[in-house]
Amino acid sequence: MSENLWDDVDEYFVSLFLPSDSALEETLDRSAAAGLPPISVAPNQGKLLELLAKMQGSRRILEIGTLGGYSTISLVRALPSDGSLVTLELESLHAEVARENIDRAGLGLLVDIRVGPATKLLQDLIDEDAAPFDFIFIDADKEGYPKYLELSLQLSRPGTVIVADNVVRDGEVADSTSTDERVQGVRAFLEMAAADDRIEGTAIQTVGSKGYDGFALLVVSR
Ligand code: SAH
Ligand code: DHB
Ligand code: MG
């Protein structure tokens, strides 16, 4: 089975469910033109995030890792008009490109982009006594995932959904001897989630235009 076939199937699905989405297409074009890496979620994955947040009735969303705002736009579309999304990004260039993309999509009023290391920005939210988030999408540096989970739990309530991207990485996640710190970060994250009796979760492998990867899906139960 070839990656070409995965691409063909993704293209077919996208032609059905996301035939023309100028806000998202422009976001990708403008992110590429600004030199950002092409590592946002695939279109049908962005739609999955939107649907998950909608199914959950999310009103407050937290995203860790903004890039050019592609997944941000997907997620913010799940919100009611009085909802809000906070997204955390280390690179000020990425944050600027995302700000433009989100504003051009007409969603700027709902989105707070904070710039800095996610660990610090999450601690700031905790220190500010931020209201708990309904939905949290973890997608920044993979080494940071264990810490992001620990801090995300402090910004959660029973019922908060936590989704994490890139937990498979071409299958390397199953290699306990991997010397890749990103793989070890994801493994520590998954093991923490699995061992925590406040969390119910699973992980799912995906193939498609973004290759072979996967998502972890967690619900905070208490
Ligand atoms: N969620 C985006 C993709 C995010 S790519 C989408 O699907 O559209 C990962 C992002 O995390 C990059 O923009 C990178 O700059 C950012 N990042 C990396 N390390 C970080 C850190 N320590 N704190 C916050 N953001 C970080
Ligand atoms: C990569 C992919 C991602 O989706 C991400 O969030 C970070 C990095 C990558 O392919 O390197
Ligand atoms: Mg990702």
Side-chain angles (χ1 to χ4, degrees):
M1 258 215 275
S2 69
E3 302 218 6
N4 279 339
L5 190 54
W6 303 347
D7 279 343
D8 292 348
V9 173
D10 257 6
E11 216 171 279
Y12 172 55
F13 290 163
V14 170
S15 76
L16 292 176
F17 292 105
L18 299 120
S20 63
D21 192 321
S22 55
L24 290 178
E25 285 158 18
E26 281 177 32
T27 291
L28 289 184
D29 291 346
R30 297 172 66 87
S31 299
L36 273 49
I39 57 173
S40 43
V41 292
N44 49 345
Q45 295 177 336
K47 191 70 194 184
L48 172 67
L49 294 174
E50 178 186 341
L51 293 175
L52 289 171
K54 250 180 209 164
M55 288 170 190
Q56 198 232 2
S58 307
R59 303 179 64 83
R60 282 176 56 76
I61 297 177
L62 173 63
E63 176 179 65
I64 307 173
T66 316
L67 192 63
Y70 190 94
S71 54
T72 318
I73 291 173
S74 303
L75 285 166
V76 78
R77 285 175 171 172
L79 289 172
S81 56
D82 63 344
S84 63
L85 184 151
V86 178
T87 184
L88 312 180
E89 174 54 53
L90 178 65
E91 302 289 342
S92 51
L93 171 65
H94 297 186
E96 277 166 36
V97 172
R99 181 84 262 166
E100 277 188 26
N101 287 330
I102 293 160
D103 289 349
R104 288 167 61 90
L107 301 167
L109 285 177
L110 304 189
V111 179
D112 176 8
I113 305 179
R114 299 189 177 197
V115 183
T119 304
K120 175 191 178 287
L121 299 175
L122 289 164
Q123 192 59 55
D124 289 348
L125 284 164
I126 294 164
D127 295 344
E128 282 164 26
D129 265 326
F133 291 92
D134 305 310
F135 190 102
I136 301 176
F137 179 47
I138 302 179
D139 193 23
D141 57 303
K142 312 311 159 195
E143 298 87 333
Y145 275 29
K147 191 72 187 172
Y148 302 154
L149 178 59
E150 177 195 324
L151 296 171
S152 290
L153 287 171
Q154 297 179 54
L155 293 162
S156 295
R157 55 156 175 91
T160 293
V161 169
I162 301 176
V163 176
D165 193 22
N166 311 116
V167 302
V168 175
R169 308 205 63 96
D170 286 314
E172 268 212 71
V173 69
D175 179 6
S176 63
T177 66
S178 172
T179 53
D180 186 331
E181 284 178 14
R182 296 167 301 180
V183 171
Q184 290 302 343
V186 167
R187 286 178 59 89
F189 164 86
L190 292 169
E191 286 162 28
M192 267 175 70
D196 193 318
D197 61 7
R198 294 166 297 177
I199 298 175
E200 240 189 302
T202 190
I204 291 293
Q205 307 181 62
T206 58
V207 295
S209 58
K210 295 289 167 172
Y212 171 35
D213 215 321
F215 292 103
L217 306 170
L218 313 176
V219 181
V220 179
S221 53
R222 66 180 167 82

